Amino acid sequence: MSNRHAIVLAAGQGKRMKSSLYKVLHPVCGKPMVQHVIDQLNALKLQEIITIVGHGAEQVQEQIGEDSRFMIQEEQLGTGHAVQQAESVLGGQKGTTLVVCGDTPLLTSETLEALLDFHEKEEAKVTLLTAHADDPSGYGRIVRNENQDVAKIVEQKDATEQEQRIQEINTGTYCFDNEALFEALQHVSNNNAQGEYYLPDVIEILKNRNEKIGAFQTKSFDETLGVNDRVALSKAEQAMKRRINEYHMRNGVTLIDPDHTYIGLNVTIGQDAVIYPGSTIDGETAIDSGVEIGPNSEIKNCIIGQDTTIKQSVAHDSLIGARVKIGPYAHIRPSSKLADDVKVGNFVEIKKATFGEGSKASHLSYIGDAEVGNEVNIGCGTITVNYDGENKYLTTIQDGAFIGCNSNLVAPVTIGEGAYVAAGSTITDDVPNSSLSIARSRQTNKEGYVEKMKNKNNN
């Protein structure tokens, strides 16, 4: 295998995106487009990756970090000029250079590896990545001769009626003999309407020298999609989502409606999990087997144990055990930890709290900054009063405690093991083990009060 390098073209501003965000930083399934490209290139074990940056250079460099070397194209004078910025690093080196656009997030390392292998096997000076398009309108056509070699590339506006019927199109991804690339770039002219130096002109220069021009056709047209506007961005999102969802379904996950299920790139899901429509699962989320999520749930950066059920709820940055039942309409906020067999019911909010095994808060409660033991029952309308306007305080509820409905637990406070808190109580002091705490006014009935008030108002 020869030395292999890659140049990523990421200097264009992307005016058609109509956005203050630099084009290649627009996300596809939660990851910036250019990061998709870099990640796939990294899988190829290349000697060097050079990213050409211009507009938004600092943001792109911050995103990619140490995964690439960077060269700045001060003036955007075309794709050929952009590639020339890498000459100080790659010029004169032997080997193969892959040129990829930073707005092609669907390209896979498998396709790029196959392109490189084909190029080197054919001993071509340049090899184009091509694709079959059902509708090739707007793309450059690949015209082949009787030997199936590339005779020419013809743009849509210059194509004859017969050439317009060709469905093999140029994708804008190339492999070059590195020395031939930089030598030919010296002869590229900017004698065109835009006054720019175009990389495809290198192909014409090499062809005129009777050098071998190759073309490798990928099986997937979707992979080659370049994103230049919001419409194409949406298409890339759909294609990536479809790829991710098909991967999980082929690995034993049931997606009831994959067209309306959104799963991030770094999510892992065990077999026999079931995901219902409208659910979004993102970040570094790991879901065990037999889990059911949705419909309309939002999960991010969570670890979820076996056979847990989450219905119409939100959970972020939390650990959730096995056989846990959450929802509907529950909110598990960051830094929460729910042990096995916990129940968090409808309209319950958990924030930075731990729940021991078998504990439950079945409905309409806020449990924040709390440590809840095993087999605790938290009644409807219970609130841990954790904030005094300046500081947060801890509520501790020990094993087997029972908290009655509409109780306020004013932190810092501890409810002892096996203790009971009567419904409607506001607890400000610790409750000893196995005690009953009642913190409410004694009921007083004033008989005849309503009639007296009516008579008073009528007078």
Side-chain angles (χ1 to χ4, degrees), residues 311-341:
K311 294 182 177 180
Q312 294 148 315
S313 296
V314 174
H316 285 193
D317 302 285
S318 294
L319 302 177
I320 299 169
R323 300 174 302 281
V324 173
K325 297 186 183 303
I326 297 174
Y329 312 117
H331 189 182
I332 311 301
R333 290 171 56 188
S335 301
S336 295
K337 184 177 180 181
L338 310 182
D340 297 344
D341 301 300

Short mmCIF file of all heavy atoms in Angstrom, two decimals, residues 311-341:
data_model
loop_
_atom_site.label_atom_id
_atom_site.label_comp_id
_atom_site.label_asym_id
_atom_site.label_seq_id
_atom_site.Cartn_x
_atom_site.Cartn_y
_atom_site.Cartn_z
N LYS A 311 -42.33 5.94 28.98
CA LYS A 311 -43.45 6.37 28.13
C LYS A 311 -43.59 7.89 28.14
O LYS A 311 -43.69 8.51 29.20
CB LYS A 311 -44.76 5.76 28.62
CG LYS A 311 -44.83 4.25 28.49
CD LYS A 311 -46.19 3.73 28.95
CE LYS A 311 -46.28 2.22 28.75
NZ LYS A 311 -47.62 1.70 29.20
N GLN A 312 -43.56 8.49 26.96
CA GLN A 312 -43.85 9.92 26.78
C GLN A 312 -43.16 10.78 27.84
O GLN A 312 -43.77 11.60 28.51
CB GLN A 312 -45.37 10.14 26.83
CG GLN A 312 -46.06 9.50 25.64
CD GLN A 312 -47.45 9.00 25.97
OE1 GLN A 312 -47.64 8.37 27.01
NE2 GLN A 312 -48.39 9.28 25.10
N SER A 313 -41.86 10.59 27.96
CA SER A 313 -41.12 11.26 29.03
C SER A 313 -39.77 11.75 28.51
O SER A 313 -39.35 11.42 27.40
CB SER A 313 -40.91 10.30 30.21
OG SER A 313 -42.16 9.97 30.80
N VAL A 314 -39.09 12.55 29.36
CA VAL A 314 -37.80 13.11 29.03
C VAL A 314 -36.79 12.65 30.09
O VAL A 314 -37.06 12.71 31.29
CB VAL A 314 -37.86 14.66 29.01
CG1 VAL A 314 -36.47 15.25 28.80
CG2 VAL A 314 -38.82 15.15 27.93
N ALA A 315 -35.61 12.18 29.61
CA ALA A 315 -34.56 11.76 30.54
C ALA A 315 -33.22 12.20 29.96
O ALA A 315 -32.90 11.87 28.81
CB ALA A 315 -34.59 10.26 30.76
N HIS A 316 -32.42 12.93 30.75
CA HIS A 316 -31.12 13.42 30.31
C HIS A 316 -30.05 13.09 31.34
O HIS A 316 -30.27 13.23 32.55
CB HIS A 316 -31.14 14.94 30.13
CG HIS A 316 -31.86 15.41 28.91
ND1 HIS A 316 -31.78 16.71 28.45
CD2 HIS A 316 -32.68 14.78 28.04
CE1 HIS A 316 -32.53 16.85 27.37
NE2 HIS A 316 -33.09 15.69 27.11
N ASP A 317 -28.90 12.65 30.86
CA ASP A 317 -27.68 12.55 31.67
C ASP A 317 -27.91 11.81 32.98
O ASP A 317 -27.52 12.28 34.05
CB ASP A 317 -27.13 13.95 31.96
CG ASP A 317 -26.82 14.71 30.68
OD1 ASP A 317 -25.81 14.40 30.05
OD2 ASP A 317 -27.61 15.61 30.34
N SER A 318 -28.52 10.64 32.89
CA SER A 318 -28.88 9.91 34.11
C SER A 318 -28.65 8.41 33.94
O SER A 318 -28.55 7.91 32.81
CB SER A 318 -30.35 10.17 34.46
OG SER A 318 -30.55 11.52 34.83
N LEU A 319 -28.59 7.73 35.08
CA LEU A 319 -28.48 6.27 35.12
C LEU A 319 -29.81 5.70 35.54
O LEU A 319 -30.36 6.05 36.59
CB LEU A 319 -27.39 5.85 36.11
CG LEU A 319 -25.98 6.39 35.85
CD1 LEU A 319 -25.02 5.94 36.96
CD2 LEU A 319 -25.45 5.91 34.50
N ILE A 320 -30.34 4.79 34.73
CA ILE A 320 -31.67 4.23 34.96
C ILE A 320 -31.52 2.71 34.96
O ILE A 320 -31.02 2.12 34.00
CB ILE A 320 -32.66 4.69 33.88
CG1 ILE A 320 -32.77 6.23 33.91
CG2 ILE A 320 -34.01 4.04 34.06
CD1 ILE A 320 -33.52 6.81 32.73
N GLY A 321 -31.96 2.07 36.04
CA GLY A 321 -31.74 0.64 36.22
C GLY A 321 -32.67 -0.24 35.42
O GLY A 321 -33.34 0.20 34.48
N ALA A 322 -32.71 -1.52 35.81
CA ALA A 322 -33.53 -2.50 35.13
C ALA A 322 -34.95 -2.49 35.68
O ALA A 322 -35.19 -2.19 36.85
CB ALA A 322 -32.92 -3.89 35.29
N ARG A 323 -35.90 -2.80 34.78
CA ARG A 323 -37.32 -2.94 35.12
C ARG A 323 -37.90 -1.68 35.76
O ARG A 323 -38.84 -1.72 36.54
CB ARG A 323 -37.53 -4.15 36.06
CG ARG A 323 -37.09 -5.47 35.44
CD ARG A 323 -37.17 -6.61 36.43
NE ARG A 323 -36.35 -6.36 37.62
CZ ARG A 323 -35.03 -6.53 37.66
NH1 ARG A 323 -34.37 -6.97 36.61
NH2 ARG A 323 -34.36 -6.27 38.77
N VAL A 324 -37.32 -0.55 35.42
CA VAL A 324 -37.83 0.74 35.90
C VAL A 324 -39.01 1.14 35.02
O VAL A 324 -39.02 0.91 33.81
CB VAL A 324 -36.73 1.81 35.85
CG1 VAL A 324 -37.28 3.19 36.19
CG2 VAL A 324 -35.60 1.43 36.79
N LYS A 325 -40.01 1.75 35.62
CA LYS A 325 -41.17 2.25 34.88
C LYS A 325 -41.23 3.77 35.04
O LYS A 325 -41.33 4.27 36.17
CB LYS A 325 -42.45 1.60 35.37
CG LYS A 325 -42.49 0.09 35.16
CD LYS A 325 -43.83 -0.50 35.52
CE LYS A 325 -43.81 -2.02 35.36
NZ LYS A 325 -43.45 -2.46 34.01
N ILE A 326 -41.15 4.47 33.91
CA ILE A 326 -41.13 5.93 33.91
C ILE A 326 -42.24 6.45 33.01
O ILE A 326 -42.40 6.00 31.88
CB ILE A 326 -39.77 6.46 33.41
CG1 ILE A 326 -38.64 6.03 34.35
CG2 ILE A 326 -39.79 7.98 33.27
CD1 ILE A 326 -37.26 6.40 33.86
N GLY A 327 -43.01 7.42 33.54
CA GLY A 327 -44.01 8.09 32.73
C GLY A 327 -45.40 7.52 32.92
O GLY A 327 -45.62 6.62 33.74
N PRO A 328 -46.34 8.07 32.15
CA PRO A 328 -46.13 9.10 31.11
C PRO A 328 -45.87 10.49 31.70
O PRO A 328 -46.22 10.74 32.85
CB PRO A 328 -47.43 9.08 30.32
CG PRO A 328 -48.46 8.62 31.30
CD PRO A 328 -47.74 7.66 32.21
N TYR A 329 -45.23 11.33 30.93
CA TYR A 329 -45.01 12.75 31.24
C TYR A 329 -44.15 12.95 32.48
O TYR A 329 -44.40 13.85 33.29
CB TYR A 329 -46.35 13.48 31.38
CG TYR A 329 -47.30 13.20 30.26
CD1 TYR A 329 -48.52 12.57 30.51
CD2 TYR A 329 -46.97 13.52 28.95
CE1 TYR A 329 -49.39 12.28 29.47
CE2 TYR A 329 -47.83 13.23 27.91
CZ TYR A 329 -49.04 12.61 28.17
OH TYR A 329 -49.88 12.32 27.14
N ALA A 330 -43.12 12.14 32.62
CA ALA A 330 -42.14 12.34 33.69
C ALA A 330 -40.91 13.04 33.12
O ALA A 330 -40.66 13.03 31.91
CB ALA A 330 -41.75 11.01 34.31
N HIS A 331 -40.12 13.66 34.01
CA HIS A 331 -38.91 14.38 33.59
C HIS A 331 -37.77 13.96 34.51
O HIS A 331 -37.76 14.29 35.71
CB HIS A 331 -39.14 15.89 33.69
CG HIS A 331 -38.03 16.69 33.09
ND1 HIS A 331 -38.01 18.06 33.09
CD2 HIS A 331 -36.88 16.31 32.46
CE1 HIS A 331 -36.91 18.49 32.49
NE2 HIS A 331 -36.21 17.44 32.11
N ILE A 332 -36.83 13.21 33.93
CA ILE A 332 -35.64 12.79 34.68
C ILE A 332 -34.51 13.72 34.28
O ILE A 332 -33.95 13.64 33.18
CB ILE A 332 -35.26 11.33 34.36
CG1 ILE A 332 -36.48 10.42 34.46
CG2 ILE A 332 -34.14 10.87 35.29
CD1 ILE A 332 -37.16 10.41 35.81
N ARG A 333 -34.16 14.65 35.16
CA ARG A 333 -33.16 15.66 34.87
C ARG A 333 -31.75 15.15 35.19
O ARG A 333 -31.58 14.10 35.81
CB ARG A 333 -33.48 16.94 35.64
CG ARG A 333 -34.74 17.64 35.12
CD ARG A 333 -35.18 18.78 36.02
NE ARG A 333 -34.12 19.76 36.20
CZ ARG A 333 -34.19 20.78 37.07
NH1 ARG A 333 -35.29 20.93 37.83
NH2 ARG A 333 -33.20 21.64 37.18
N PRO A 334 -30.71 15.89 34.74
CA PRO A 334 -29.34 15.39 34.86
C PRO A 334 -28.92 15.00 36.28
O PRO A 334 -29.43 15.52 37.27
CB PRO A 334 -28.50 16.57 34.35
CG PRO A 334 -29.38 17.23 33.35
CD PRO A 334 -30.76 17.13 33.95
N SER A 335 -28.00 14.04 36.32
CA SER A 335 -27.35 13.55 37.55
C SER A 335 -28.32 12.80 38.45
O SER A 335 -28.14 12.76 39.67
CB SER A 335 -26.70 14.69 38.33
OG SER A 335 -25.73 15.33 37.54
N SER A 336 -29.33 12.18 37.84
CA SER A 336 -30.23 11.32 38.61
C SER A 336 -29.80 9.87 38.44
O SER A 336 -29.22 9.49 37.43
CB SER A 336 -31.67 11.51 38.15
OG SER A 336 -32.12 12.82 38.44
N LYS A 337 -30.11 9.07 39.45
CA LYS A 337 -29.77 7.65 39.41
C LYS A 337 -30.92 6.86 39.98
O LYS A 337 -31.24 6.97 41.17
CB LYS A 337 -28.49 7.40 40.21
CG LYS A 337 -28.01 5.96 40.14
CD LYS A 337 -26.69 5.78 40.87
CE LYS A 337 -26.20 4.33 40.79
NZ LYS A 337 -24.92 4.15 41.53
N LEU A 338 -31.54 6.05 39.12
CA LEU A 338 -32.68 5.24 39.52
C LEU A 338 -32.26 3.78 39.53
O LEU A 338 -31.84 3.24 38.51
CB LEU A 338 -33.86 5.44 38.56
CG LEU A 338 -34.25 6.89 38.24
CD1 LEU A 338 -35.47 6.91 37.31
CD2 LEU A 338 -34.54 7.67 39.51
N ALA A 339 -32.37 3.14 40.69
CA ALA A 339 -31.98 1.74 40.81
C ALA A 339 -33.05 0.83 40.19
O ALA A 339 -34.06 1.30 39.66
CB ALA A 339 -31.73 1.39 42.28
N ASP A 340 -32.83 -0.46 40.27
CA ASP A 340 -33.76 -1.41 39.67
C ASP A 340 -35.15 -1.31 40.31
O ASP A 340 -35.29 -1.03 41.51
CB ASP A 340 -33.24 -2.84 39.84
CG ASP A 340 -31.92 -3.07 39.13
OD1 ASP A 340 -31.56 -2.24 38.27
OD2 ASP A 340 -31.26 -4.08 39.44
N ASP A 341 -36.18 -1.57 39.47
CA ASP A 341 -37.57 -1.71 39.92
C ASP A 341 -38.15 -0.42 40.51
O ASP A 341 -39.11 -0.46 41.29
CB ASP A 341 -37.70 -2.85 40.93
CG ASP A 341 -37.26 -4.18 40.34
OD1 ASP A 341 -37.85 -4.60 39.33
OD2 ASP A 341 -36.31 -4.78 40.87
#
